[in-house]
Amino acid sequence: MKILLPILTIFILTSCAGWRLEQTEKVGTFPSLLNSGTTQKLKVALNVLSYDHFYNGELKQSSLTETKKQEQIDSILQVYRDSDLFIFDKKNPDLFIDLEIKSEGSGSLNRVILTYATFFLIPSSSETKFSVKAVFKRANGEVIGEITKIDTVEKWQQLFLIFAMPFKYPYVALKDTLVDLNRAVIMEAFRDDYFREAID
């Protein structure tokens, strides 16, 4: 019983948290000017061609369950709905958007073992870099342009991060970053007139 209390205390006080490094400027919400000059919504066929996960340079099976991965893809689809620029129409689209998503994790297993061996007194960290590549095509298949957005989430494991975890939970940070990169893709495509070119 005397040993159990310190172990429980350490367990409660140890946790992890994640932070976006903001290599791509955060969008957050779409500005009202995004659809202020648009008279009709584009019919779009949005295709997620791939969602690959690498760890330390090697292609791996994602640590995400299929349910979590689908949840992230659904959140990306919602971003396009929230822009109020599009109607999904795979049969007769004005615009094709092909997405390729890459998650590249890096970290040291030895460092993680050391963190656990020292009951989180010695911290460890890892990084996940997301890249979202979007290729925009006219209805006839002609490429209008291509946009790639990249950002990184840094995750730390150490003592007392339990106080940060409710606000910086790693999975939420990863999901929010991926979603916001797609907002940034839409914003750049809008500024570069890709959507007007699709119907001109």
Side-chain angles (χ1 to χ4, degrees), residues 31 58 81-82 128 142-143 155 158-159 174 179 181 197:
E58 294 184 24
R81 292 188 189 97
D82 291 344
T128 300
E142 181 185 357
V143 174
K155 185 179 79 172
Q158 68 181 91
L159 205 61
L174 290 166
V179 165
L181 287 177
E197 288 183 34

Side-chain angles (χ1 to χ4, degrees), residues 48 50-54 59-77 101-103 130 171 175 178-179:
V48 180
S50 62
Y51 187 169
D52 294 326
H53 178 73
F54 293 80
L59 183 63
K60 299 285 187 181
Q61 182 71 31
S62 174
S63 59
L64 291 175
T65 63
E66 286 304 313
T67 301
K68 290 289 187 184
K69 185 177 284 190
Q70 187 58 51
E71 180 184 305
Q72 291 189 350
I73 291 172
D74 289 345
S75 295
I76 291 169
L77 297 178
I101 301 168
K102 187 187 294 183
S103 163
F130 277 120
Y171 173 72
K175 180 183 172 184
L178 179 57
V179 165

Side-chain angles (χ1 to χ4, degrees), residues 127-139:
E127 288 187 347
T128 300
K129 182 173 77 172
F130 277 120
S131 65
V132 175
K133 175 183 173 183
V135 178
F136 297 82
K137 302 175 184 176
R138 291 187 175 89

Side-chain angles (χ1 to χ4, degrees), residues 80 86 95-99 134-138 141-147 185-186 189 194-195:
Y80 280 81
F86 310 107
L95 177 70
F96 289 96
I97 304 176
D98 295 336
L99 296 178
V135 178
F136 297 82
K137 302 175 184 176
R138 291 187 175 89
E142 181 185 357
V143 174
I144 299 170
E146 177 185 308
I147 296 172
V185 164
I186 293 171
Y194 285 8
F195 306 140

Side-chain angles (χ1 to χ4, degrees), residues 10-27:
I10 290 171
F11 178 77
I12 290 169
L13 293 178
T14 56
S15 193
C16 57
W19 288 267
R20 178 179 173 177
L21 300 187
E22 295 195 23
Q23 294 154 308
T24 292
E25 185 178 355
K26 188 175 180 180
V27 177

